[in-house]
Amino acid sequence: MSAHTLAEKILMRASGAASVRAGEIVVAKVDLAMMHDSGGPRRVAPYLQQLEAKVWDPEKVVLVSDHYVPAVDPQSAAILSLTRRWAHENGITRFHDMQGICHVVLQEYAHLRPGMLVVGGDSHSPSGGAVGAFMVGIGATEMAGVLATGEIWLRVPETVRVSWTGQLAAGVCAKDMMLALCRDLGQNNDYKAIEYCGSAVTALPMAERFVLCNMSAELGAKTGMIAPDEKTLAEIRANGGDIADSALQWRSDENAAIERVVEFDAGRLAPQVAAPHSPGNSLAVDQVGRVRIDQAYIGACTGAKLTDLQMAAQVLRGKKVAPHVRLLVAPASLRTTQLAAADGTLATLTAAGAILLPTGCGACAGYGAGVLAEGEVCISSTARNFKGRMGHATSQVYLGSPFTVAASAVTGHVTDPRALLH
Amino acid sequence: MSAKLENLRGRAWVFGDNIDTDLLAPGHAMRKPLAELAQHCLEAIDPQFARSVHQGDFIVAGTGFGIGSSREQAAQALAHLGVGAVLAVAPARIFYRNAINLGLPVVRFPHADSVRPGDDLVVDLVHGCVYNLTRNTEHDCEPVPEFLRDVLQAGGLIPHLRTRLRRQ
Ligand code: SF4
């Protein structure tokens, strides 16, 4: 038996091919399809009607309302109502209504397993790779095709291995790793699978590994993946998932064809900030210069999980948000909110002056509360700072870790969090 | 239809690198109907675009065209405005799939920098050729693979699947 990468192994299993190589096109059976309220039912239902097709297997569909929640106008209310009706009519039992952001919910409810082939109607679908699944983002038309047939064509990707050796310093986290990568690897790693490994990756909790895979989307990659280990299995079990130890087999073979290996030293990484209007526009926080901010935003799948809120709380404990700044916090899921309420994290944040927003995508993509006015400057723990994404086309969004966002909220300008941590 | 893929003609609209999905389909317009959303396409970098683009015109761009979100409206807005094809040095993955699935041809075109705004182009997607009638030049582009030509010729994935499912 010849050696294969993790991506190749999953596509072999899903396509039934005895062997596949990077560059080939395979037609594969999908194990799970995830959709949300924005790209989901409202867009796929008309296509399914045109095809006179039904959902191939309602058990294999996860639907999440997160983009337009809670409704802010009649249009978003209509989108949500349509989403709920569609879930009901199509027998979708795994419908998570307003329980959190889709990528986070998928993991909280243990819908993912190592070795699965998953498609998601969202570009941050590589998030699923954090547990060793092969998960790719697709658009609505393609989703309709998957729902009708249970299949998709995929080009087998080359694998690029990103190895982080050493250990992260205090006040530095997965978001900093990814902002540095967006700069150093660039954003055009199209059609590649990025495999993260090395001591600094192994040391990360699952929620932080998620950030690496999630922001693989910003590298332009097809997907990001981390081979499962004991931590992966423990997390799936803790979330109520049933999984055998044999799932640890889902990893690249020793001599698999890796296109290239890039090494980084986690110990030398400083907090990173991406200046407008691209995540690749990043630099060490002390290189940014004095940038006064109007808003600090802690939100999104990548930046408002429990670990992220805890990072912010570490900085904010006993401090106050600067008078001219509004600090907005939109927890990534209902469970995040519950856990952060229980362990005192929310109390720390609100005592510092943070305004709590509803769970959901919120201002991340400019759909929900917290968007920016003309010329306003925001530092945000979200994944993208494209021009106009978070509000007015002239607004300026800087990206940073929850540590950095919290520190900047306190001082009122983009700030190195290491100075404020105790 | 295959004759059409071999012989598309239009004017060039030239853009740079990393034209993202928020530029193509801005978040603030995402809950609006397509016809309205399309009027905001690329407004942040070229307010005239949606009003002035003609049926069959081409988008010529650099790397990372369509990076960002999976929102299909990015490709749909261009198709709605009549764009005939996107010729980009490196189109982003999801955008590429979305566009083909909607029947909007996208090809890799390494020589995007040879084209100036308004140039009159003839594009052969089957053999992979871009003829610039304004400049009297001829450059290669990547031909559309046969597998995807079938989808384009059917007018997109849905009509393509409809034929396939009917046959079964
Ligand atoms: S939080 Fe932002 S990045 Fe995450 S799924 Fe929602 S819109 Fe996308």
Side-chain angles (χ1 to χ4, degrees), chain A residues 137-300:
Chain A
I138 59 174
T141 306
E142 188 132 52
M143 184 59 82
V146 169
L147 292 178
T149 64
E151 292 179 351
I152 189 168
W153 68 267
L154 291 167
R155 182 186 167 281
V156 181
E158 292 84 14
T159 292
V160 172
R161 194 170 271 167
V162 173
S163 169
W164 284 91
T165 55
Q167 206 188 332
L168 289 172
V172 185
C173 62
K175 175 56 62 63
D176 301 306
M177 296 163 90
M178 287 315 291
L179 291 177
L181 270 190
C182 287
R183 173 190 63 231
D184 295 344
L185 278 190
Q187 295 187 265
N188 292 308
N189 299 280
D190 272 359
Y191 313 101
K192 312 283 181 214
I194 314 271
E195 222 183 78
Y196 300 92
C197 62
S199 55
V201 173
T202 313
L204 291 175
M206 289 304 291
E208 284 278 274
R209 292 183 186 183
F210 171 103
V211 174
L212 302 186
C213 294
N214 174 284
M215 286 192 61
S216 301
E218 271 54 65
L219 300 173
K222 179 171 206 140
T223 194
M225 333 177 69
I226 298 173
D229 59 10
E230 291 300 336
K231 225 182 250 184
T232 317
L233 302 190
E235 170 100 349
I236 292 173
R237 287 174 186 141
N239 287 334
D242 198 13
I243 184 135
D245 287 346
S246 60
L248 295 176
Q249 65 167 319
W250 290 104
R251 52 179 52 254
S252 293
D253 292 323
E254 199 75 28
N255 301 315
I258 304 290
E259 189 184 71
R260 75 189 168 116
V261 181
V262 238
E263 274 202 32
F264 296 90
D265 182 355
R268 295 173 49 149
L269 185 68
Q272 304 287 309
V273 168
H277 297 285
S278 162
N281 216 355
S282 64
L283 58 184
V285 62
D286 52 4
Q287 308 288 302
V288 177
R290 195 175 169 89
V291 176
R292 189 184 141 99
I293 58 165
D294 302 294
Q295 175 167 307
Y297 186 83
I298 293 181

